[in-house]
Amino acid sequence: MHLTSDDIRFIQKHLNDDTNKLILAASKFPNLDIPFLADQILARKQIKSKLPYWYGEESLIFPSRIAAEQCSSESTAEYKQRLVKGKVVCDLTGGLGVDSYYLSKQTVKSYYIERFENYCDAARNNFAVLGANHIEVLQGDSREILPSLDAIDTIYVDPARRSDVNKRLFALEDCEPNILAMKESLLTKAKRLIIKISPMADVRLTMELLPETTEVHVISVKNECKELLFVLDAEKVKDDPVQLFCINFNTSGEEESFSFTRAQENDANPAYATGIKSYLYEPNASVLKAGAFKRIATHFGIEKLQINSHLYTSDELIMDFPGRIFKTEETFDFASKNIKKLNKSIPKANITVRNFPLSVEDIRKKTGIKEGGEIYLFATTLGKDLKVLVKGSKCK
């Protein structure tokens, strides 16, 4: 499988065109497979921002639009390189091949395994185009292929998270392949197993299901949680603590990171604020997903607003805090009668809700404040169940 020079010219010429119209006009291009090329155009639109390097390679083939939609981003795939140990890695669920490609950069030999023939054909083409000639593409069921392979140091698996009726699945036992049933045999084949699971999964519960876990990596891009990576080690000592890594690639592409253990979170005894100080801190999505609600406060020496309000405050500016930072300007008692007149002094604002009984839409209806502008309002709860709106301007 490969793209001809005519295919590439057509794709590049029509990248911004309506693919439905292209398909209707297919008779004008008798020598081209227009439905196939329309899918290539749509797939390229999917990866333009998340895989800029791949997007720049005109000869790459995308076996399906859903493969382009579900594949890892460049930043998350590159991050996974840090988790590889040893010289040989095997990707049991090859898919588009993005993870296989980036994982292979840390290895001497790599295996890409995939059930579907068209995905394998595309992968062979793409790895050749990208110069990754040390990746061997194998078609078939990974459970049948894996035993025949020579020594492997790291196994990577991204279980399918859709059922036969296209319903999204989050439980490990409902995914394909069933990692819970396979993990012991996989850890006899390789010392290290990396499992990518749904970002909707419960981190604590999954750790209990996978007691061989040594590390959990919660990865966000532009403050949206994208991946949960569980690293399992065949030689893990039973009582060794699991290290949780919270990673966010912000809008500038810079990496924010924070790490902790469950013991550190459980033992943390943060100070609770009696009021809003000079700065307000909102942890990024990875920190919140991982559950570092108390440890983040004690680590940075900041005060938590309330036990269930995952916002923090201090008089000193902590610029390396992993999340957004705001210079606070004013705090409003939400129970005040004057709250309905707040739109006169704040006609527009960006509103965020944290531990508050009303939604953003409800608050806008009650206050008359429209969306937008440079002002930020946080609706939250302080000690003694005091409901407030905190006004601030963004520092970071």
Side-chain angles (χ1 to χ4, degrees):
M1 179 187 289
H2 70 281
L3 297 177
T4 68
S5 56
D6 287 341
D7 290 335
I8 294 171
R9 278 194 293 270
F10 182 90
I11 291 169
Q12 294 302 314
K13 182 178 179 180
H14 298 283
L15 270 176
N16 298 314
D17 291 357
D18 184 329
T19 52
N20 290 322
K21 291 181 179 179
L22 290 176
I23 292 172
L24 290 174
S27 60
K28 296 180 180 180
F29 311 97
N31 298 321
L32 297 175
D33 184 346
I34 300 303
F36 169 74
L37 296 179
D39 277 349
Q40 297 304 299
I41 291 169
L42 289 170
R44 284 189 166 273
K45 289 179 179 179
Q46 290 276 2
I47 69 155
K48 185 175 182 180
S49 59
K50 68 176 179 177
L51 284 173
Y53 177 65
W54 279 44
Y55 182 81
E57 292 288 343
E58 298 179 351
S59 297
L60 296 185
I61 294 175
F62 302 92
S64 72
R65 281 180 276 171
I66 196 168
E69 175 190 337
Q70 295 182 341
C71 72
S72 297
S73 67
E74 198 166 290
S75 54
T76 59
E78 286 182 332
Y79 179 84
K80 295 187 188 86
Q81 293 177 23
R82 309 177 195 179
L83 309 185
V84 173
K85 283 190 176 180
K87 297 181 179 180
V88 182
V89 66
C90 180
D91 183 350
L92 299 187
T93 46
L96 186 56
V98 174
D99 286 322
S100 292
Y101 170 68
Y102 283 99
L103 290 172
S104 76
K105 290 192 170 188
Q106 299 298 314
T107 66
V108 174
K109 176 70 176 178
S110 294
Y111 296 101
Y112 161 106
I113 302 177
E114 173 58 53
R115 291 180 298 168
F116 299 111
E117 183 177 0
N118 62 325
Y119 277 62
C120 291
D121 289 343
R124 291 187 184 94
N125 172 83
N126 295 344
F127 295 151
V129 170
L130 296 165
N133 298 314
H134 63 305
I135 304 177
E136 184 175 348
V137 175
L138 301 170
Q139 183 193 347
D141 189 321
S142 60
R143 289 166 290 193
E144 298 174 0
I145 295 174
L146 192 59
S148 67
L149 301 180
D150 292 333
I152 296 169
D153 299 303
T154 299
I155 291 175
Y156 173 78
V157 58
D158 177 10
R161 293 184 293 277
R162 290 179 184 269
S163 69
D164 293 337
V165 292
N166 210 34
K167 179 182 177 182
R168 289 187 179 275
L169 300 171
F170 307 131
L172 277 178
E173 60 268 26
D174 293 330
C175 294
E176 177 62 33
N178 184 342
I179 293 301
L180 294 181
M182 293 178 64
K183 64 175 182 172
E184 289 186 14
S185 62
L186 294 178
L187 286 171
T188 59
K189 186 68 177 180
K191 293 181 179 180
R192 171 163 281 216
L193 172 61
I194 304 170
I195 307 171
K196 174 183 172 181
I197 69 171
S198 166
M200 298 297 293
D202 183 278
V203 174
R204 187 186 295 272
L205 176 59
T206 306
M207 286 172 61
E208 293 174 0
L209 292 172
L210 302 172
E212 302 87 353
T213 301
T214 57
E215 302 170 11
V216 177
H217 298 256
V218 186
I219 307 178
S220 297
V221 178
K222 298 178 182 178
N223 208 30
E224 181 182 353
C225 191
K226 293 292 187 180
E227 297 188 8
L228 294 181
L229 301 171
F230 282 72
V231 180
L232 281 61
D233 193 325
E235 300 177 353
K236 183 194 174 183
V237 177
K238 182 179 179 181
D239 295 326
D240 280 355
V242 177
Q243 196 76 24
L244 291 98
F245 298 88
C246 311
I247 308 297
N248 178 56
F249 295 98
N250 62 26
T251 53
S252 301
E254 298 169 339
E255 181 181 323
E256 298 174 342
S257 63
F258 181 73
S259 64
F260 70 106
T261 66
R262 283 291 175 205
Q264 289 174 327
E265 172 65 16
N266 294 336
D267 295 342
N269 186 23
Y272 288 92
T274 56
I276 304 298
K277 295 188 174 183
S278 300
Y279 298 96
L280 188 73
Y281 302 86
E282 180 191 33
N284 65 42
S286 288
V287 172
L288 294 174
K289 179 66 181 180
F293 305 130
K294 297 186 296 181
R295 178 58 180 164
I296 197 81
T298 57
H299 178 83
F300 287 99
I302 54 183
E303 297 179 1
K304 201 171 190 300
L305 297 197
Q306 197 247 23
I307 190 168
N308 294 315
S309 297
H310 306 317
L311 293 170
Y312 307 81
T313 191
S314 73
D315 280 327
E316 180 184 354
L317 177 60
I318 313 293
M319 279 303 293
D320 60 344
F321 180 84
R324 298 196 298 174
I325 306 172
F326 301 85
K327 179 74 175 73
T328 58
E329 298 170 5
E330 199 168 356
T331 302
F332 305 95
D333 182 346
F334 198 76
S336 170
K337 294 180 181 180
N338 295 327
I339 206 75
K340 293 182 179 180
K341 301 177 182 179
L342 195 58
N343 64 334
K344 292 183 178 180
S345 58
I346 309 176
K348 293 195 302 183
N350 305 282
I351 300 176
T352 298
V353 169
R354 289 275 185 246
N355 188 26
F356 201 78
L358 301 181
S359 67
V360 171
E361 184 180 352
D362 291 335
I363 294 169
R364 292 197 186 281
K365 288 179 180 179
K366 188 174 181 66
T367 62
I369 297 173
K370 299 185 181 301
E371 185 178 357
E374 299 297 321
I375 295 173
Y376 289 80
L377 287 177
F378 282 84
T380 190
T381 303
L382 300 182
K384 297 183 180 179
D385 206 35
L386 178 62
K387 304 295 186 290
V388 297
L389 288 181
V390 183
K391 176 187 175 185
S393 55
K394 195 173 182 181
C395 299
K396 172 190 170 186

